Amino acid sequence: MNDSLPPCPECSSEYTYEMGALLVCPECAHEWSASPETDTDAETPAEAVIKDAVGNVLADGDTVTVVKDLKIKGSSTVIKVGTKVRGIRLVNGVGDHDIDCKVDGVGPMQLKSSVVKKI
């Protein structure tokens, strides 16, 4: 219809039209932003790099040690300095807790990357 509008990124239909700030495909009903810089950001999200207390990049499955005593909320138990945590998973947790793990003797929990060091 309009030569200046891009085709639909989902079905490649050339019959896209504008509806406010969005572009709409009448064939598959896909809607996307008309501005090109936000369109490329939506297609390729940037991966967040998670680093430990000393700046090493962490990955899923790494083994880390705790660098300071950690009081467990709601319990009198403490995770001591030097405790090894094996097989961590990086997650987008509550607040700034970005490591999901299982600590021996304590159980499953989430830790902050700022309190661990990669081995």
Side-chain angles (χ1 to χ4, degrees), residues 47-87:
E47 292 278 331
V49 176
I50 298 175
K51 296 184 178 184
D52 66 1
V54 294
N56 298 324
V57 177
L58 296 173
D60 286 346
D62 282 346
T63 300
V64 295
T65 58
V66 177
V67 296
K68 66 182 235 179
D69 286 343
L70 302 174
K71 294 180 184 176
I72 299 174
K73 191 180 280 189
S75 174
S76 61
T77 310
V78 175
I79 300 175
K80 296 286 186 179
V81 172
T83 302
K84 286 186 181 179
V85 180
R86 293 177 175 84

Side-chain angles (χ1 to χ4, degrees), residues 3-73:
D3 294 331
S4 66
L5 295 177
C8 176
E10 294 290 315
C11 69
S12 301
S13 171
E14 59 187 35
Y15 301 112
T16 58
Y17 62 92
E18 289 182 286
M19 184 168 56
L22 297 176
L23 295 175
V24 181
C25 175
E27 293 182 7
C28 69
H30 178 67
E31 298 179 353
W32 69 98
S33 175
S35 60
E37 59 274 355
T38 56
D39 188 36
T40 57
D41 290 345
E43 290 180 9
T44 57
E47 292 278 331
V49 176
I50 298 175
K51 296 184 178 184
D52 66 1
V54 294
N56 298 324
V57 177
L58 296 173
D60 286 346
D62 282 346
T63 300
V64 295
T65 58
V66 177
V67 296
K68 66 182 235 179
D69 286 343
L70 302 174
K71 294 180 184 176
I72 299 174
K73 191 180 280 189

Side-chain angles (χ1 to χ4, degrees), residues 26 33 46 77 95 101 103 111:
S33 175
T77 310
C101 61
V103 179
L111 298 173

